[in-house]
Amino acid sequence: MASTGNAALLNTYQAIVSTFCDFLTVAIHTILYERHIYPASSFLSARKYNFPVRQNRHPKVCKWIQDAVTAVEIELLKGTVARTAVVIYSPTSAPLERFMFDVSSFPVVPAAESLTPFERSSDDNNESDESTSPQTAVVDLEEQFRGVMSKLAFCGAALGTLPENCSFTVCIELKHKVDPPIGHPQSWIPAQPNLQPANNGKEKEEKDKRRKLDSDKGTALGGVNITPVRSVEAGDFLLEMWIEEGKAKIGDKKGLEREKETYEDPP
């Protein structure tokens, strides 16, 4: 697994983003292992944050994950990202689960000042309040990261079994009124309509004209069941995590239960 390198202190926005992206890489590998997206034999045992984790050993999978996390990091440094998600899709491309990483509480820092050390405000002059000090170290987060990995390691029992041949991707949800990441080469593509936030406000008239086209917009956001994972907080680093189970997954599960009740032999 990658190391945090020069981000030993969380005293710049770059350090916060690098620490999060390092953690996100480990979390993605863990999710893929625990949700059986790839065979268990394709994962190696490793240690991160002084905790046993799994890492996929296929070079193309590792390269894809690293490229995805790098693309997330670029957008984070622009200050445009509200949430990052690892989305698991059914064989028919229906979103089944979304592992959410809410970074909306990260500091708002201009891209040109990402390497500028944080300054302490007058409220930070109380030396006894170490939690708000810009000198927070990455090691202060490791116990909390271990807690997250422990939760993810046992999420399979709570979430149940997924169908075979599921796929996954990494998504970002942008903050309100920011420009989408457009460029060449195209690192990001728009998500399917049911994972897009619905239009509102002054766009209402235009939305009314397109009501039929937008009828599915945003319907997969939020999920049907939400499982809290935990929050991670130290200094200016504040991250919230949860798991959303989509309508497609819950609907299939209920359908199977009804089918079992219908055809099950009486006692």
Side-chain angles (χ1 to χ4, degrees):
M1 291 290 181
S3 63
T4 51
N6 294 328
L9 291 176
L10 299 177
N11 60 349
T12 66
Y13 184 60
Q14 175 71 68
I16 287 177
V17 170
S18 297
T19 300
F20 168 72
C21 289
D22 190 52
F23 164 75
L24 180 63
T25 301
V26 183
I28 293 172
H29 281 276
T30 301
I31 292 167
L32 298 183
Y33 175 78
E34 296 298 335
R35 303 311 287 136
H36 305 291
I37 304 302
Y38 297 107
S41 59
S42 67
F43 289 83
L44 298 170
S45 296
R47 291 191 72 83
K48 184 67 174 178
Y49 311 123
N50 198 27
F51 188 84
V53 296
R54 299 284 184 163
Q55 179 179 10
N56 194 281
R57 61 183 179 180
H58 195 290
K60 290 186 177 180
V61 174
C62 293
K63 178 66 163 54
W64 191 96
I65 293 172
Q66 189 57 54
D67 288 347
V69 173
T70 298
V72 171
E73 181 176 19
I74 291 171
E75 298 306 315
L76 281 169
L77 289 172
K78 295 178 184 177
T80 61
V81 181
R83 284 170 289 276
T84 301
V86 179
V87 186
I88 297 179
Y89 292 97
S90 72
T92 58
S93 299
L96 301 180
E97 296 172 354
R98 297 206 309 159
F99 292 77
M100 304 299 301
F101 302 81
D102 190 326
V103 297
S104 59
S105 295
F106 278 11
V108 178
V109 177
E113 298 182 14
S114 63
L115 293 173
T116 303
F118 295 130
E119 293 183 1
R120 299 185 70 174
S121 66
S122 58
D123 293 336
D124 293 330
N125 291 331
N126 183 358
E127 295 182 1
S128 64
D129 190 4
E130 296 179 357
S131 63
T132 58
S133 170
Q135 298 303 313
T136 302
V138 175
V139 69
D140 297 331
L141 290 169
E142 290 196 354
E143 182 178 354
Q144 299 181 66
F145 285 156
R146 286 195 295 272
V148 175
M149 292 303 155
S150 178
K151 285 283 190 74
L152 291 178
F154 294 100
C155 67
L159 298 176
T161 304
L162 292 172
E164 294 183 356
N165 301 318
C166 287
S167 59
F168 81 100
T169 194
V170 174
C171 298
I172 53 174
E173 293 183 9
L174 301 178
K175 295 178 179 178
H176 187 51
K177 294 183 179 180
V178 299
D179 294 329
I182 298 175
H184 183 78
Q186 186 85 11
S187 299
W188 299 98
I189 60 174
Q192 58 202 73
N194 60 355
L195 289 173
Q196 293 277 3
N199 295 324
N200 52 38
K202 63 182 180 181
E203 299 179 353
K204 185 178 184 300
E205 288 186 9
E206 185 179 351
K207 178 183 176 181
D208 290 339
K209 296 177 183 178
R210 304 192 312 243
R211 189 175 298 276
K212 290 184 179 179
L213 294 177
D214 286 352
S215 60
D216 192 43
K217 204 165 190 180
T219 56
L221 293 176
V224 177
N225 288 344
I226 297 179
T227 302
V229 177
R230 70 164 292 164
S231 61
V232 175
E233 182 176 6
D236 293 291
F237 190 104
L238 177 57
L239 172 67
E240 297 280 348
M241 285 159 288
W242 65 88
I243 304 168
E244 299 175 357
E245 295 180 87
K247 294 180 181 178
K249 176 184 176 183
I250 301 302
D252 288 346
K253 187 184 297 185
K254 289 181 178 178
L256 289 173
E257 289 175 354
R258 285 195 299 268
E259 183 177 347
K260 182 178 179 181
E261 292 174 358
T262 303
Y263 294 101
E264 191 173 39
D265 291 334

